């Protein structure tokens, strides 16, 4: 697209010569004799760069800069200034002007072209950054955190509520349940979204290294510290730090982190100076921290500090109702990512996905789908045989398996057992009633009681 420039000057010959130079560079150029006219053009069309005189009747150039920046932050402004007003030009740079040229312009038309080209470059960079941020923001919006079960809906609600506060959140859950995705959602829904989201994996960085990674160090703080180094907390200023696998943090560092959470100040290793930063902390763990506290492996005071708002991510097997939705969402993503055209899943493949217990949770599901999509390139549909090996084995009959929860009521046991037999018998009522040792009418009655509705035409009279 052709860059659009607006030239503002009450001196007609100046305006014309600048406009000519830019038109030669095949820019689209508008002209205005004063700030008021400039603003009315700005309100009608999108302008990439404004070149404006400083001293004009009505609003001056400085005021125009502020107004332009207020209306459209990404529009760049270049000022034209006589020697007497250089100071105002410098002042305007603080308000966001891109650069200034002194009049008469020493380098002539080429100089104008050059500054405009640089201003356009910066504008392009800024919009690219903004787009990237918007894409990221969209990526982690709730539409991408999929889940229709009540437990997931409740989690979305909590994310929404806590995002705008600075409260510390502790996310627990098995591997692959979406802990990091939730942490990002909190960040991108908060006022900190334009500032960094910094991930620190406390599990993969050894103890002493982790301390310097988090808090930074001064030159000479330890052997090998040849130059000073900014820590992650400092880099994340005004943003969010995500402390992943917090359960792996060693006790000395736990103490230092606690102090940081209380005071919001810290000092780099090898330095006494206290630095204050403004960060929000979100922590995650897949171990039972409360148990670690009991066993004396994790500081209780730190545990309470971190878990102001605890969020437990349920494993996928606790919410199988979300599986179909997740499959369609993740498969869409995988088709795009692998650049493969969409194709359907066979009923058996879907059924197997529903029965499987997904020990690796959503990450495992995501990988399984990618695997199946990649392996079925030459097939018309994605079938059972395209699924990864663990899914090839039929699910064990869950009924009365070891580890049956002893807290269940008799009704609940009956309800679950009926469901598992129905599933195993593919909802064939005669066979299921045979397995259960009851007649079909009784089975229908029980199905109705437990909300497993059956099509009316199948019912015995
Ligand atoms: N509710 C969800 N909807 C859609 N995708 C999800 C959801 N939860 C997780 N995912 C996807 O599953 C994968 C694993 O999620 P994530 O990395 O957040 O899990 P985690 O709990 O941090 O795992 P780990 O403990 O292994 O680090 C990611 O690709 C993520 O995008
Ligand atoms: Mg993770």
């Amino acid at each position: 697209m052709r860059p659009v420039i607006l030239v503002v000057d009450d001196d007609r010959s100046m305006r014309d010569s600048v406009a000519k130079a830019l038109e030669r560079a095949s820019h689209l150029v508008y002209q205005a004799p004063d700030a008021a006219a400039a603003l009315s053009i700005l309100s009608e069309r999108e302008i990439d760069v404004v070149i404006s005189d400083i001293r004009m009747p009505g609003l001056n150039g400085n005021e125009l800069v502020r107004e332009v920046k207020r209306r459209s932050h990404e529009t760049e402004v270049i000022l034209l200034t006589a020697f007497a007003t250089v100071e105002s030009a410098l002042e305007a740079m603080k308000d966001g002007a891109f650069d200034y040229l002194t009049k008469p312009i020493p380098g002539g038309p080429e100089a104008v072209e050059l500054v405009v080209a640089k201003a356009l470059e910066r504008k392009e960079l800024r919009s690219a950054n903004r787009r990237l941020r918007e894409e990221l923001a969209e990526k982690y919006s709730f539409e991408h955190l999929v889940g229709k079960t009540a437990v997931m809906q409740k989690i979305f609600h909590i994310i929404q509520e806590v995002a705008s506060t600075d409260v510390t959140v502790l996310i627990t859950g098995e591997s692959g349940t979406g802990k990091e995705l939730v942490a990002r959602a909190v960040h991108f829904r908060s006022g900190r979204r334009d500032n960094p989201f910094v991930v620190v994996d406390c599990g993969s960085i050894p103890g002493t290294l982790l301390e310097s990674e988090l808090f930074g160090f001064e030159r000479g703080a330890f052997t090998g510290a040849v130059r000073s180094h900014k820590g992650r907390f400092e880099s994340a200023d005004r943003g969010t730090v995500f402390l992943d696998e917090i359960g792996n943090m060693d006790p000395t560092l736990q103490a230092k982190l606690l102090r940081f959470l209380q005071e919001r100040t810290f000092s780099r290793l090898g330095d006494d100076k206290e630095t204050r930063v403004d960060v929000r902390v979100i922590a995650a763990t897949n171990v039972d921290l409360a148990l670690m506290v009991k066993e004396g492996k994790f500081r209780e005071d730190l545990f309470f500090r971190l878990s102001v708002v605890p969020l437990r991510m349920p494993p996928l097997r606790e919410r199988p109702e979300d599986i179909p939705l997740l499959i369609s969402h993740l498969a869409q993503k995988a088709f795009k990512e692998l650049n493969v055209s969409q194709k359907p899943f066979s009923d058996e493949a879907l059924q197997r996905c529903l029965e499987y217990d997904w020990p690796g949770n959503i990450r495992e599901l995501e990988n399984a789908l990618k695997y199946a999509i990649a392996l079925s390139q030459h097939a018309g549909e994605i079938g059972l045989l395209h699924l990864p090996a663990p899914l090839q084995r039929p699910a064990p009959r869950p009924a009365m398996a070891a580890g049956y929860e002893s807290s269940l009521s008799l009704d609940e046991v009956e309800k679950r057992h009926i469901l598992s037999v129905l599933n195993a018998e593919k909802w064939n009522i005669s066979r299921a009633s045979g397995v259960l040792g009851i007649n079909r009418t009784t089975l229908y009655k029980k199905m109705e009681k437990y909300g497993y509705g059956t099509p009316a035409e199948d019912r015995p009279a």
Side-chain angles (χ1 to χ4, degrees):
M1 253 197 345
R2 249 171 109 190
V4 185
I5 320 290
L6 171 62
V7 184
V8 194
D9 200 323
D10 53 332
D11 174 349
R12 168 125 202 218
S13 65
M14 187 68 203
R15 220 165 61 212
D16 277 345
S17 75
V18 171
K20 275 216 185 72
L22 295 169
E23 273 161 0
R24 259 199 310 277
S26 61
H27 296 335
L28 177 61
V29 185
Y30 292 98
Q31 299 189 27
D34 54 39
L39 289 174
S40 91
I41 293 175
L42 274 158
S43 59
E44 276 165 22
R45 45 191 46 101
E46 209 174 301
I47 304 289
D48 296 309
V49 178
V50 175
I51 304 181
S52 171
D53 190 17
I54 289 202
R55 210 177 266 173
M56 295 179 293
L59 282 190
N60 66 29
N62 292 65
E63 289 160 330
L64 182 63
V65 170
R66 283 195 288 272
E67 190 54 29
V68 169
K69 285 286 160 184
R70 195 181 64 77
R71 292 184 181 196
S72 136
H73 190 65
E74 281 171 17
T75 300
E76 298 293 354
V77 187
I78 297 163
L79 290 165
L80 296 170
T81 171
F83 182 68
T85 49
V86 165
E87 221 158 297
S88 319
L90 290 172
E91 201 53 41
M93 307 255 316
K94 283 191 206 140
D95 285 331
F98 176 68
D99 204 349
Y100 66 91
L101 290 165
T102 49
K103 290 199 291 193
I105 303 165
E110 273 132 58
V112 177
E113 251 187 77
L114 199 70
V115 210
V116 169
K118 283 200 182 128
L120 286 169
E121 221 170 80
R122 176 160 91 171
K123 185 181 181 242
E124 188 41 47
L125 199 70
R126 276 192 197 207
S127 2
N129 272 336
R130 178 180 44 79
R131 279 196 303 273
L132 196 69
R133 271 204 311 270
E134 280 171 3
E135 273 168 24
L136 282 178
E138 210 203 322
K139 189 163 170 201
Y140 299 115
S141 63
F142 292 152
E143 300 88 73
H144 295 268
L145 241 171
V146 170
K148 70 178 174 102
T149 45
V151 44
M152 287 308 285
Q153 288 296 319
K154 193 165 161 210
I155 287 171
F156 298 162
H157 179 73
I158 296 174
I159 294 173
Q160 179 67 29
E161 294 289 305
V162 300
S164 58
T165 71
D166 275 341
V167 89
T168 307
V169 181
L170 177 67
I171 309 168
T172 57
E174 290 177 12
S175 181
T177 47
K179 298 186 292 295
E180 181 163 343
L181 203 60
V182 165
R184 287 181 190 273
V186 172
H187 174 75
F188 281 101
R189 290 250 155 178
S190 78
R192 297 173 178 269
R193 75 179 70 84
D194 289 341
N195 302 310
F197 176 82
V198 173
V199 180
V200 183
D201 185 352
C202 306
S204 67
I205 311 173
T208 45
L209 211 58
L210 183 57
E211 180 171 2
S212 57
E213 197 53 44
L214 286 174
F215 297 105
F217 54 82
E218 281 306 320
R219 209 176 117 189
F222 46 84
T223 339
V226 286
R227 62 175 75 87
S228 62
H229 177 78
K230 215 184 200 184
R232 301 284 182 99
F233 281 127
E234 245 176 299
S235 315
D237 197 15
R238 303 180 61 214
T240 305
V241 171
F242 176 53
L243 299 175
D244 206 359
E245 301 309 340
I246 187 89
N248 288 5
M249 192 177 268
D250 74 36
T252 2
L253 197 48
Q254 287 176 26
K256 196 161 173 186
L257 175 63
L258 177 66
R259 223 198 95 221
F260 171 72
L261 292 174
Q262 284 163 341
E263 321 277 334
R264 297 287 156 174
T265 63
F266 66 93
S267 40
R268 289 183 177 183
L269 265 74
D271 189 9
D272 298 330
K273 199 171 92 275
E274 294 276 309
T275 308
R276 174 168 295 274
V277 287
D278 167 23
V279 296
R280 184 208 201 133
V281 172
I282 301 179
T285 175
N286 60 13
V287 298
D288 186 346
L289 269 194
L291 186 69
M292 283 186 73
V293 168
K294 262 191 215 136
E295 291 172 345
K297 292 182 190 142
F298 199 85
R299 293 182 68 112
E300 186 172 34
D301 42 11
L302 178 59
F303 174 67
F304 287 127
R305 264 281 157 187
L306 290 172
S307 58
V308 180
V309 174
L311 261 184
R312 176 185 177 269
M313 299 307 297
L316 199 47
R317 65 182 170 280
E318 275 180 23
R319 49 186 183 104
E321 303 88 338
D322 274 337
I323 292 177
L325 198 67
L326 279 164
I327 290 181
S328 84
H329 170 76
L330 297 170
Q332 294 291 341
K333 220 169 89 177
F335 283 128
K336 253 193 225 147
E337 225 175 276
L338 302 175
N339 202 11
V340 174
S341 53
Q342 302 202 17
K343 66 182 68 154
F345 285 80
S346 76
D347 290 347
E348 295 83 42
L350 281 178
Q351 184 61 34
R352 189 58 56 82
C353 287
L354 289 177
E355 290 162 359
Y356 185 62
D357 69 347
W358 302 107
N361 296 295
I362 304 177
R363 179 172 301 110
E364 185 183 9
L365 174 60
E366 194 170 19
N367 291 337
L369 294 175
K370 280 188 193 157
Y371 178 97
I373 289 170
L375 246 74
S376 60
Q377 303 250 20
H378 304 289
E381 62 172 13
I382 300 166
L384 210 49
L385 77 165
H386 301 122
L387 297 176
L391 278 111
Q392 297 289 342
R393 289 187 287 276
R397 287 206 173 189
M400 297 309 162
Y404 220 71
E405 293 162 58
S406 50
S407 60
L408 294 179
S409 69
L410 213 50
D411 261 3
E412 189 60 33
V413 174
E414 182 176 84
K415 176 180 171 186
R416 291 191 188 190
H417 185 58
I418 289 177
L419 180 64
S420 70
V421 172
L422 281 168
N423 275 331
E425 299 305 332
K426 302 216 162 17
W427 292 73
N428 180 311
I429 304 299
S430 306
R431 277 197 316 238
S433 56
V435 171
L436 289 165
I438 53 179
N439 67 36
R440 293 173 46 192
T441 317
T442 314
L443 177 55
Y444 278 119
K445 280 205 186 109
K446 290 193 184 290
M447 285 169 69
E448 206 159 74
K449 172 175 169 194
Y450 297 125
Y452 306 143
T454 55
E457 63 267 28
D458 285 357
R459 283 163 200 251

